[in-house]
Amino acid sequence: MATMNDVARAAGVSTSTVSYVLSGKRTISPDTRAEVLAAIEKLGYSPHAGARALASNRSNVLGLMVPLREDVNVSVVMQFVSAVVTTARTFEQDVLLLTQDDTDGIARVMSQSIVDGMIMMDIEAKDPRVPLLAKMRKPAVLIGLPDDAQGLSCVDFDFAAASRVSVRHLVDLGHRRVALIGSPQASLERHATYADRVRNGFEAAASAANVDFASRACEPTAAALAHALQDLVTGVDAATGLVVHNEFLLPMLRDTLSEMGLSVPADISVVAIAPTDVALASTAPWTAVSIPAHDIGRTAVEMVMERMHTEKPAEVRLIVPSLVQRVTTSPAKASV
């Protein structure tokens, strides 16, 4: 294995000069620096990540921007993070996690070559981070679909199709009044693309099926859930089929319905749009359209790595939803 002394001899400089080139603590002439880097490359000298970065002009680090906002479910977000980290390791990449949504963070880590590429989550329809990321000369992939991706590649779950699958399932069971309990209001107000696409997909699917429908944003509290359910599933126009895209609410949903005198699925059918493990976590699992967080995170890393080594053009990959059949949906009653 090559040593710093070997590099110094090959470059015709002192070991201290090699150290200064690696550390950047002193100014070294461009010619001398080039000689040292050439020797490092030839000998394969790599004492640590910093030396590898200097020798190859790569850091072997991917950036992952995941804003931890109050309206997102951190436990679900971490499924995506875990998938990105574990997949990155198969490419011998580390991951730098950025939890703010400021553009300064993007500029800092990409312009200073701290990361070789970037994956960005929680995309908004008119996301202010996208134009800056598009200007950077490094590969980047969005987990989400903004209105204008500006030439960046995107991967995401097809949330609109998830709503269509959910509505079609309920309609096929005979339900003629369906309702959606969706993301918190803050997600809709900032136009988080997953929230918009679930709601728009739900309303379009219900309208196309010619069934009555209503949708409500819902905060992640028992009181907010009870209020939304009171509005949607009671009274003469009560919905008998319910789609829920809000992982916060699933642990309390069954008990809240029971307190209202409604049994699942005898009185009301429920379809959750959620990661499979979240939907199946309770003792009586929910029928679910599964959000494949691991597949999305893995694909995002693969797309970044493809663009790091090739000139592959920008693309959009949407992962198709599938229905996990359980016991929380049943045919509508004859009176419906």
Side-chain angles (χ1 to χ4, degrees):
M1 180 179 294
T3 67
M4 189 179 294
N5 287 333
D6 295 330
V7 172
R9 281 194 297 270
V13 298
S14 67
T15 54
S16 61
T17 298
V18 175
S19 177
Y20 292 143
V21 169
L22 295 175
S23 68
K25 291 181 178 179
R26 287 193 183 180
T27 301
I28 303 296
S29 71
D31 288 345
T32 300
R33 177 181 173 83
E35 289 289 336
V36 170
L37 293 179
I40 287 173
E41 180 72 19
K42 180 179 179 180
L43 298 173
Y45 176 64
S46 183
H48 53 68
R52 289 197 303 271
L54 287 167
S56 65
N57 199 32
R58 286 203 176 143
S59 64
N60 292 335
V61 176
L62 298 178
L64 175 60
M65 178 166 275
V66 189
L68 298 182
R69 300 183 173 101
E70 291 185 358
D71 58 298
V72 301
N73 188 317
V74 174
S75 64
V76 172
V77 167
M78 292 309 295
Q79 292 193 24
F80 291 88
V81 173
S82 176
V84 168
V85 171
T86 55
T87 306
R89 292 310 307 149
T90 68
F91 290 96
E92 298 185 346
Q93 301 287 309
D94 292 315
V95 175
L96 175 64
L97 185 62
L98 306 173
T99 58
Q100 301 296 321
D101 62 354
D102 62 294
T103 55
D104 289 344
I106 296 173
R108 183 175 64 255
V109 301
M110 295 196 78
S111 64
Q112 297 180 17
S113 297
I114 296 173
V115 301
D116 297 327
M118 179 72 75
I119 297 170
M120 193 159 69
M121 287 184 58
D122 197 10
I123 305 300
E124 298 175 358
K126 301 187 183 303
D127 201 304
R129 300 168 295 169
V130 170
L132 176 61
L133 198 59
K135 292 178 182 177
M136 296 294 175
R137 298 184 176 222
K138 292 190 177 180
V141 171
L142 309 179
I143 296 181
L145 298 177
D147 289 347
D148 182 2
Q150 300 196 22
L152 296 175
S153 292
C154 305
V155 59
D156 204 4
F157 182 56
D158 194 337
F159 284 98
S163 284
R164 291 195 297 271
V165 169
S166 302
V167 171
R168 173 50 54 193
H169 177 64
L170 294 172
V171 170
D172 287 348
L173 290 172
H175 295 277
R176 306 302 301 168
R177 290 189 292 272
V178 297
L180 168 70
I181 294 182
S183 300
Q185 185 64 30
S187 298
L188 293 168
E189 289 178 354
R190 64 184 178 83
H191 293 289
T193 58
Y194 55 83
D196 280 351
R197 285 156 54 209
V198 165
R199 183 179 63 176
N200 294 341
F202 170 83
E203 294 178 353
S207 180
N210 197 30
V211 297
D212 294 333
F213 65 91
S215 61
R216 298 287 185 275
C218 191
E219 303 308 307
T221 66
L225 175 60
H227 180 76
L229 290 173
Q230 188 68 35
D231 191 26
L232 295 171
V233 301
T234 63
V236 293
D237 294 324
T240 61
L242 184 64
V243 179
V244 180
H245 176 231
N246 190 321
E247 296 92 353
F248 287 114
L249 304 178
L250 293 178
M252 62 184 86
L253 177 59
R254 196 183 308 272
D255 287 343
T256 305
L257 287 169
S258 178
E259 290 169 2
M260 299 171 66
L262 297 172
S263 173
V264 179
D267 299 311
I268 186 165
S269 290
V270 177
V271 179
I273 300 176
T276 301
D277 64 324
V278 175
L280 306 186
S282 62
T283 53
W286 301 101
T287 298
V289 176
S290 178
I291 299 175
H294 183 271
D295 290 345
I296 295 169
R298 173 181 51 77
T299 301
V301 174
E302 292 172 349
M303 291 171 72
V304 167
M305 297 306 298
E306 286 174 352
R307 281 147 187 81
M308 196 178 297
H309 299 290
T310 68
E311 295 296 325
K312 189 169 184 178
E315 62 178 319
V316 174
R317 296 187 193 178
L318 285 180
I319 296 179
V320 178
S322 60
L323 188 70
V324 179
Q325 292 281 1
R326 294 293 169 179
V327 296
T328 57
T329 56
S330 65
K333 294 180 180 179
S335 61
V336 175

